[in-house]
């Protein structure tokens, strides 16, 4: 994404919905650029991540605990550049690159954010990752922290290829736990890139996990179960996991996280810790797809279908080139494994070395040594 910044001359644009329903109720409205009040920061948004909680709110779910005043904005996660500050703001100034969250309405070109809900964006984070990290990152972090995992644990993580599940699996690995993750079979290699043992979801999960444990060196029974799909408590109990270490996160986390954001008490400390891990490349948040603002409805359809591993992102300042497709058809999985050694058989490559500056003596000695070794083996 383009990192240049400045105010737009024609006002702001915001994703809104005036009635409950599916992605088809979403529209992009032109709105006045908001003014920051005391303790608030005006952010020009470069990227905003999509979350299942956004879809739940738009469908009108949990209205008692999660009220929505129509017309309503969409989204909570964002990253961008500060273009104005209100009275009393001390931590940020115009031009600062920031990441954070709001209660609702992050998917807009300009968003007013309470100062306490922003962090400086680490230089090592892309806009797409920074704008997608709050909900998935803090949900995964708090879930894994609550299970107090260690090297003696084996944990099953369902929906491990999703944005939250992928991060949770990596946090568990950092703590030394063995991680078995459920996903569709075509994403097994995706999970292996993170050191996660993949298995299919659906009926027979307990039997499949038992077979994996028995076939693993230093086999240990499953001691924790983190369910991001819901409905897998029976499988966890069949594996002998204590109820105190079975955590179902999906719906409850969506409601509680939204309530916390609405109250301005979102876990900024956890967000900072997650951002530091991702920036240091100890943890990776894969970006499955980036959609331009005008395709927000299609972005949510992709999210609701759960047809992409990693995060779906709405991009506001996407760099375009002639003939470029704004969004890629699939994640570039090689990006996830930069710097990660891939086990393979040793190959003798001395003969493939191209000529270099010098007299060739290095290559000649290497060929001679290789010939001697072959003769000794023969």
């Amino acid at each position: 994404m383009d990192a240049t910044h400045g105010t737009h001359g024609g006002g702001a644009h915001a994703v809104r919905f005036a009635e409950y329903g599916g992605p088809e109720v979403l529209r992009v409205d032109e709105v006045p650029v908001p003014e920051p009040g005391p303790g608030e920061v005006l952010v020009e948004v470069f990227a905003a991540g999509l979350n299942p909680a956004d879809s739940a709110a738009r469908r009108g779910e949990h209205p008692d605990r999660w009220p929505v005043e129509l017309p309503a904005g969409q989204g909570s996660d964002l990253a961008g550049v500060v273009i104005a500050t209100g009275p009393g703001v001390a931590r940020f100034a115009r031009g600062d690159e920031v990441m954070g969250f709001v209660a609702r309405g992050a998917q807009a070109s300009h968003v007013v954010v309470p100062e306490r809900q922003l962090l400086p964006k680490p230089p090592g984070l892309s806009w797409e990752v920074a704008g997608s990290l709050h909900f998935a990152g803090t949900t995964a972090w708090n879930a894994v922290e609550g299970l107090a995992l260690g090297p003696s644990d084996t944990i099953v993580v369902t929906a491990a290829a999703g944005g939250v599940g992928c991060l949770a699996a990596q946090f568990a690995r950092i703590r030394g736990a063995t991680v078995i993750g459920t996903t569709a079979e075509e994403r097994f290699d995706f999970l292996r890139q993170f050191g996660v043992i993949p298995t299919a979801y659906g009926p027979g999960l307990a039997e499949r996990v038992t077979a994996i444990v028995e076939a693993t060196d230093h086999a240990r029974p499953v001691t924790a179960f983190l369910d991001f799909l819901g409905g897998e408590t029976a499988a966890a109990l069949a594996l002998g996991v204590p109820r105190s270490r079975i955590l179902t996160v999906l719906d409850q986390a969506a409601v509680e996280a939204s309530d916390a954001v609405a109250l301005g008490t979102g876990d900024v400390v956890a967000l900072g810790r997650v951002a530091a891990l991702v920036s240091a490349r100890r943890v990776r948040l894969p970006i499955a797809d980036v959609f331009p603002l005008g395709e927000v409805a299609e972005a949510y359809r992709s999210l609701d279908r759960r047809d992409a591993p990693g995060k779906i992102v709405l991009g506001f300042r996407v760099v375009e080139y002639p003939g470029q497709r704004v969004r890629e058809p699939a994640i570039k999985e090689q990006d996830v494994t930069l710097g990660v050694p891939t086990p393979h058989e040793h190959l003798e490559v001395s003969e493939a070395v191209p000529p270099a500056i010098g007299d060739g003596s290095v290559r000649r000695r290497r060929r001679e040594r290789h010939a001697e070794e072959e003769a000794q083996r023969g």
Side-chain angles (χ1 to χ4, degrees), residues 172-184:
R173 289 268 300 158
I174 286 176
R175 287 160 176 78
T178 299
V179 181
I180 301 171
T182 73
T183 189

Side-chain angles (χ1 to χ4, degrees), residues 140 170 235 246 340:
Q170 293 177 80
I246 301 173
V340 179

Side-chain angles (χ1 to χ4, degrees), residues 309-359:
K311 291 291 294 184
I312 304 291
V313 185
L314 199 63
F316 289 80
R317 301 293 295 271
V318 178
V319 177
E320 297 185 28
Y321 304 94
Q324 178 198 21
R325 287 177 58 86
V326 173
R327 53 186 173 87
E328 297 293 335
I331 185 173
K332 295 183 179 64
E333 294 189 355
Q334 67 271 23
D335 292 344
V336 180
T337 56
L338 288 176
V340 179
T342 302
H344 62 275
E345 294 182 4
H346 174 72
L347 299 176
E348 177 57 61
V349 297
S350 61
E351 293 298 327
V353 177
I357 296 175
D359 61 4

Side-chain angles (χ1 to χ4, degrees), residues 2-378:
D2 184 10
T4 60
H5 55 272
T7 58
H8 290 292
H13 292 83
V15 177
R16 287 182 166 184
F17 59 97
E19 59 181 312
Y20 295 119
E24 70 279 356
V25 304
L26 293 172
R27 65 187 192 218
V28 179
D29 292 341
E30 186 169 352
V31 296
V33 176
E35 295 285 340
E40 294 180 333
V41 175
L42 177 60
V43 177
E44 181 182 356
V45 178
F46 286 4
L50 277 61
N51 295 298
D54 305 338
S55 295
R58 190 191 61 247
R59 291 191 296 261
E61 298 175 7
H62 309 292
D64 51 339
R65 298 186 58 189
W66 203 349
V68 175
E69 184 177 346
L70 300 175
Q74 185 88 104
S76 61
D77 297 11
L78 57 84
V81 169
V82 174
I83 59 174
T85 58
V89 171
R91 294 172 52 226
F92 300 105
R94 179 180 171 85
D96 287 350
E97 298 180 350
V98 295
M99 58 185 292
F101 56 95
V102 292
R104 191 169 292 114
Q107 292 163 15
S109 61
H110 296 74
V111 178
V112 168
V113 187
E115 180 184 21
R116 66 182 179 277
Q117 292 171 204
L118 288 173
L119 290 173
K121 183 183 82 68
L125 288 190
S126 70
W127 289 111
E128 292 83 355
V129 171
S132 307
L133 203 53
H134 169 254
F135 183 87
T138 58
T139 300
W141 178 271
N142 291 330
V144 173
E145 284 285 293
L147 290 172
L149 299 173
S152 62
D153 284 304
T154 296
I155 182 172
V156 175
V157 178
T158 69
V164 181
C166 180
L167 288 174
Q170 293 177 80
F171 295 153
R173 289 268 300 158
I174 286 176
R175 287 160 176 78
T178 299
V179 181
I180 301 171
T182 73
T183 189
E185 188 171 351
E186 60 267 23
R187 296 180 192 150
F188 279 13
D189 282 343
F190 176 82
L191 289 187
R192 290 188 180 107
Q193 295 175 85
F194 303 103
V196 176
I197 303 170
T199 190
Y201 54 74
L205 176 59
E207 290 78 7
R208 290 192 297 277
V209 170
T210 298
I212 290 172
V213 170
E214 291 176 349
T216 303
D217 292 339
H218 311 294
R220 295 185 303 238
V222 176
T223 55
F225 200 101
L226 186 49
D227 186 10
F228 292 113
L229 280 177
E232 296 290 3
T233 300
L237 292 173
L239 289 165
V241 181
R243 283 191 177 273
S244 61
R245 303 202 83 197
I246 301 173
L247 185 57
T248 300
V249 176
L250 184 64
D251 293 332
Q252 181 180 358
V255 175
E256 291 179 351
S258 179
D259 289 344
V261 170
L263 294 171
T265 59
D267 195 348
V268 181
V269 174
L271 176 59
R273 290 171 177 164
V274 173
L277 288 171
V278 179
S279 180
R281 298 188 68 80
R282 294 187 62 197
V283 170
R284 292 174 175 84
L285 177 62
I287 301 300
D289 226 337
V290 179
F291 288 78
L293 179 61
E295 296 183 19
V296 60
E298 183 56 34
Y300 272 102
R301 291 187 185 99
S302 179
L303 176 77
D304 294 345
R305 288 193 301 264
R306 299 176 181 268
D307 61 1
K311 291 291 294 184
I312 304 291
V313 185
L314 199 63
F316 289 80
R317 301 293 295 271
V318 178
V319 177
E320 297 185 28
Y321 304 94
Q324 178 198 21
R325 287 177 58 86
V326 173
R327 53 186 173 87
E328 297 293 335
I331 185 173
K332 295 183 179 64
E333 294 189 355
Q334 67 271 23
D335 292 344
V336 180
T337 56
L338 288 176
V340 179
T342 302
H344 62 275
E345 294 182 4
H346 174 72
L347 299 176
E348 177 57 61
V349 297
S350 61
E351 293 298 327
V353 177
I357 296 175
D359 61 4
S361 60
V362 173
R363 295 182 68 243
R364 184 171 58 253
R365 288 195 299 270
R366 189 175 297 166
R367 286 197 302 270
E368 292 170 353
R369 184 170 62 252
H370 176 63
E372 291 173 358
E373 291 172 351
E374 287 293 319
Q376 291 174 0
R377 285 196 293 265

